[in-house]
Amino acid sequence: MKKPLIYMGIILASSTLLTACGNNDTKENTTNKTEKASSIKKSESSSSTKVGSDGWTYKNDVFKAGILTYKIDNSEVGTDSDGSKVLFIHTTVTNNTNKEQDPSNIYMVLHAKQKTETANKELDVGMDITDDEGNYIHQAEDDALNDSLLPKKTTKAVMMFTLVNDSPVTLEFSNSDFDIIGTKVIEVK
C-alpha cells in the first residue's frame, strides 16, 4: 500500500519538472513470483505514429520522450503478495542529456488500460512480487526506475501495473502536451 502512494507522490512532484523539460528547446533536448502458467502473446504497436510538437515519438517499441528514451524489451505477468496479477514491462532507459534525470517520470506520460464490462479502466501502478525468501524479484530494475539516471547512461528498469482482468492491456504513450502519440497492445493470457 505504501509503494503506490510513494509513486503517486513522485509523479505529482515530477509533473512540473517534466513539463518544463519537455518544453525546453535546448541542445540537450534536440539530441534528443512470475506465473509459469501465464503467457504474453507478442503485442503490436499502433501503425500510425504521430510526432508531438516536442519531437517525442513512439515507434517499434521505442518511446523517445525528449530527455529520456525507453525501449520496451519484454513483459511478463506475475502475482503480488496480495494475489493481484501484475504486468511487468521491462525496459532499457537512456538519458539523452548532460544532467541526471528521473526515469520514473514515465508514469506521467504512459498509461495502461484494460476494458471491463463497463469501462476502459486505467490501471494502477503495481507492486513487485517476492521470491520464497521474501526478496523482491525485480528489485534492481525497480530501483533503477526510481534512481537518478546519470548523464548519457543507460539502465534496465521495470514498470508495473496491477491488472483488473485477463483482457488485453493497451499502453498509451503521450507527449509533453499529454496528447497520445502511440499505443501498444499486450495480450495477457
Side-chain angles (χ1 to χ4, degrees):
M1 185 69 168
K2 290 180 182 178
K3 202 166 193 176
L5 293 175
I6 291 170
Y7 281 125
M8 289 304 293
I10 290 170
I11 290 169
L12 291 173
S14 307
S15 64
T16 304
L17 174 66
L18 182 65
T19 302
C21 292
N23 292 329
N24 190 348
D25 290 327
T26 65
K27 183 178 180 183
E28 291 174 2
N29 282 342
T30 56
T31 55
N32 302 338
K33 200 171 266 175
T34 302
E35 290 183 18
K36 293 183 178 167
S38 294
S39 66
I40 298 179
K41 293 183 181 179
K42 182 138 177 118
S43 54
E44 298 181 20
S45 300
S46 63
S47 57
S48 61
T49 300
K50 296 180 189 174
V51 176
S53 60
D54 50 17
W56 292 21
T57 61
Y58 175 76
K59 185 175 184 181
N60 299 327
D61 290 338
V62 177
F63 180 42
K64 293 182 180 180
I67 59 177
L68 295 164
T69 298
Y70 300 82
K71 180 188 175 296
I72 296 176
D73 299 322
N74 61 9
S75 56
E76 63 180 313
V77 173
T79 304
D80 68 16
S81 59
D82 294 336
S84 299
K85 286 187 177 182
V86 178
L87 174 64
F88 297 92
I89 303 168
H90 300 277
T91 64
T92 301
V93 184
T94 302
N95 180 348
N96 303 320
T97 73
N98 293 320
K99 295 181 182 178
E100 291 181 16
Q101 299 298 330
D102 180 0
S104 69
N105 286 335
I106 186 74
Y107 284 117
M108 292 188 313
V109 291
L110 172 64
H111 301 279
K113 296 182 176 182
Q114 275 186 307
K115 290 187 178 175
T116 66
E117 290 182 23
T118 59
N120 193 11
K121 178 152 178 60
E122 187 161 342
L123 303 180
D124 293 330
V125 173
M127 298 282 292
D128 202 354
I129 53 180
T130 56
D131 61 18
D132 294 334
E133 294 157 7
N135 300 313
Y136 288 114
I137 292 177
H138 303 98
Q139 186 68 56
E141 288 178 295
D142 188 34
D143 288 346
L145 188 69
N146 292 291
D147 291 339
S148 290
L149 183 57
L150 295 176
K152 306 294 183 184
K153 297 294 182 179
T154 297
T155 192
K156 297 285 187 178
V158 65
M159 297 171 287
M160 300 176 255
F161 295 98
T162 301
L163 300 172
V164 295
N165 57 35
D166 290 331
S167 69
V169 174
T170 300
L171 301 178
E172 295 178 346
F173 298 86
S174 300
N175 63 15
S176 63
D177 295 326
F178 303 105
D179 297 323
I180 296 171
I181 59 171
T183 60
K184 176 180 181 73
V185 175
I186 300 175
E187 296 288 335
V188 180
K189 295 289 176 187

